[in-house]
Amino acid sequence: MSIAGRFSRLVTSPIKHHIYLSRSHDVAVNLSIEHYLFQKSHPASTILILYVNKPCVVIGTNQNPWFEVNHALIRRNTVDSSPRHDGSLATIQNSIKVLRRRSGGGTVFHDLGNVNFSVIFPLPDRVINYKHAEMVVRAIRKTNPRARVNHRHDIVLDPGPLLKKNNWPDPEDTHRTAYAFGNGELEPRKISGSAGKASGQRGLHHGTCLLASPNLPSISEYLRSPAAPYLFTKATPSVPSPVANIISPDTPSPTTSILQHQIINAFIQMYKIDITNIPLPQESTTALTSNENCASGTLDSSLLEIPEIRSGHDELQSPEWLYEQKREFALSSHPPNADPRLRPPLPNWFPPSARVHLVIKTGLITSSTISLSSDPAIAASEAESIDAVIKNTRIIKVDSFRKPLGGNIFFEGEEQQRDIYRVGAWLDWILLGHSINL
C-alpha cells in the first residue's frame, strides 16, 4: 500500500496519539495535510504535526491581504533561503508565496529557520491553547531559558538581566522566567505566534517558532503594507510585536530538526505516550509505523495523491482564495467621512486635485469615485465616466489600472492624460504591488 493509502487509514483509526513530521517545505502542501488531519482524524485522537516552510507570508482567514502584506516587496522576491547557523550572509533569489490559511490570528512570515507546530485535539478543552504553548516552551527552554507563554498564548523571550535568586519562579512555571522584562529595550521579544480554530468535535492550535530566521531584520518590512493607511476595513488586523530568534550568541545553536524532536519529546511527556517499538519520525526518510497507542511517521508531497489534500492544496494557492473573500473594504486617497484618519503624504507626483475612492467586495470593485478636477461638477462627471469603465472589475484580472484609466476618452488633453496615468500608477502600486515607473 502506498504512503498516502496507509496515512489515510491511520488517520481515521482509533489510535489515540499521532506524531508526524513533514519533509515537504511547501506551505500549501503542509497546510493542506494539516487541514486533512483536522477534518478526517478520529474525534478522540490527539495529533502533533511539525513542518518547515520555504519563505512565505501566511495571513489569517479573516484578514485583508492588501492591508497586511507589502506586495511590492514580495514581487521583488529577494530573501535568504536558509537558516544562518554558521554566520553566512549569502542571499539567494527566491519566490515568496502569499497564502491565506484556514485559521484566525495574524499574519506571519515563514522560512527555513522557522519551525511550525500544529496540535489537533478533541473538544471541549478550554485551556488547550495554553497547554500546547506551554508544551512548546518546555522544548524551547532546552535552548533558551528566557522563553515563556504570554497572555495572548504567544511565546516570548524576556530580554533583561537575570533576576536575584529569591525572585526566580518555579522552573516548571512556563509563564514566568528568571529574567527581567519591561518597556523599551526590555520589551519581551516574540518568537512564536499562534492561531486556532474549532469545528464539531475537533480543535486545532498551531504556531511558529523563530529558531534561526536569516530574514529576521526584514520580516517587519514584508508585513508592513504601504496600502494600509489608505484602507478602511473591518478585517482582523495583525498586532505588531518586536521579534527575535530563539538562538542568540549566548545559547546553543540547534538545527530545526533538533528543535522538532525536542517538541516531539515534550508532546510525548505531556501526554504520557507509550512509544514502545515506535521509531520517532526522521526527516531523512518517508515512513509510517504504529502500535495500539501511537502512530508515527514522516510525510511528504506524495500525500497529494489523496484527493482532499490535492484539492485543499490547489485552493490555497488560488488567487481567488487569497483575494476574493467576502469582506468589504474601501480604498481612499483622502479621508472620507466614514474614515477620517489622517493619511500619510501622497507621492509628490500624485496630481494634487485628484481624488480616489474605491469600494471593493469579494475582490470586485463595486463602486468607484475617481476624479482629477477641483471643480465639483466636473469631478462628478469624471467620476461617473471612470466608474462606467472599472465598476465590477475583478482586481486579480487587472494587469494595470493605467490602461483602463488612461484610455478613457473623457481625458483628452496631454496634462489630463498624464495625471490620470499617474492615478493609475498609484493604484498599481497600492493594489497590485507594481514598482513606480512613471
Side-chain angles (χ1 to χ4, degrees), residues 72-341:
L73 188 59
I74 293 292
R75 286 173 69 96
R76 292 204 290 271
N77 290 341
T78 303
V79 295
D80 192 336
S81 70
S82 57
R84 188 176 295 137
H85 295 289
D86 59 357
S88 169
L89 299 177
T91 298
I92 303 172
Q93 190 81 4
N94 284 278
S95 175
I96 303 175
K97 290 184 177 180
V98 181
L99 283 90
R100 180 191 299 275
R101 64 178 179 270
R102 295 183 175 90
S103 63
T107 300
V108 291
F109 184 92
H110 295 178
D111 61 25
L112 294 177
N114 185 338
V115 172
N116 298 274
F117 68 91
S118 179
V119 185
I120 299 160
F121 49 85
L123 290 177
D125 190 335
R126 299 191 181 279
V127 297
I128 206 76
N129 285 359
Y130 272 125
K131 181 191 295 186
H132 294 124
E134 291 167 351
M135 174 192 80
V136 174
V137 162
R138 294 186 190 100
I140 292 173
R141 282 183 175 178
K142 303 291 185 184
T143 298
N144 196 324
R146 296 176 179 270
R148 65 175 171 87
V149 181
N150 72 5
H151 65 287
R152 295 176 55 86
H153 307 163
D154 296 330
I155 301 173
V156 298
L157 298 179
D158 289 334
L162 192 65
L163 299 171
K164 292 182 179 179
K165 193 166 185 178
N166 60 349
N167 292 323
W168 289 5
D170 184 327
E172 296 302 313
D173 186 342
T174 54
H175 295 258
R176 296 172 60 208
T177 74
Y179 297 87
F181 68 93
N183 298 320
E185 292 184 1
L186 292 184
E187 184 176 359
R189 299 298 193 259
K190 187 174 177 178
I191 56 172
S192 172
S194 64
K197 61 181 177 180
S199 178
Q201 297 175 285
R202 304 297 274 160
L204 179 148
H205 177 216
H206 58 183
T208 59
C209 293
L210 281 166
L211 178 64
S213 171
N215 299 295
L216 197 67
S218 56
I219 287 176
S220 63
E221 295 300 317
Y222 286 104
L223 307 187
R224 184 181 297 125
S225 168
Y230 304 101
L231 299 182
F232 178 68
T233 175
K234 295 182 180 179
T236 304
S238 295
V239 179
S241 302
V243 296
N245 281 324
I246 296 168
I247 291 176
S248 69
D250 58 351
T251 68
S253 298
T255 62
T256 52
S257 179
I258 290 174
L259 178 59
Q260 286 175 324
H261 281 87
Q262 288 170 340
I263 295 173
I264 288 171
N265 287 331
F267 179 77
I268 290 169
Q269 291 169 13
M270 186 173 78
Y271 283 100
K272 299 178 173 58
I273 302 170
D274 177 8
I275 56 170
T276 304
N277 299 322
I278 299 292
L280 296 181
Q282 299 296 325
E283 195 171 356
S284 58
T285 182
T286 301
L288 292 169
T289 56
S290 64
N291 62 20
E292 292 181 355
N293 301 304
C294 181
S296 171
T298 307
L299 314 174
D300 60 21
S301 59
S302 66
L303 295 190
L304 291 173
E305 295 173 17
I306 299 172
E308 294 93 336
I309 294 178
R310 166 59 73 180
S311 63
H313 167 272
D314 294 346
E315 181 180 58
L316 285 179
Q317 297 204 108
S318 70
E320 291 82 3
W321 173 257
L322 176 59
Y323 293 108
E324 295 189 342
Q325 298 300 303
K326 293 180 180 179
R327 290 181 179 270
E328 182 178 278
F329 69 99
L331 166 64
S332 303
S333 59
H334 295 75
N337 292 334
D339 181 19
R341 294 174 302 153

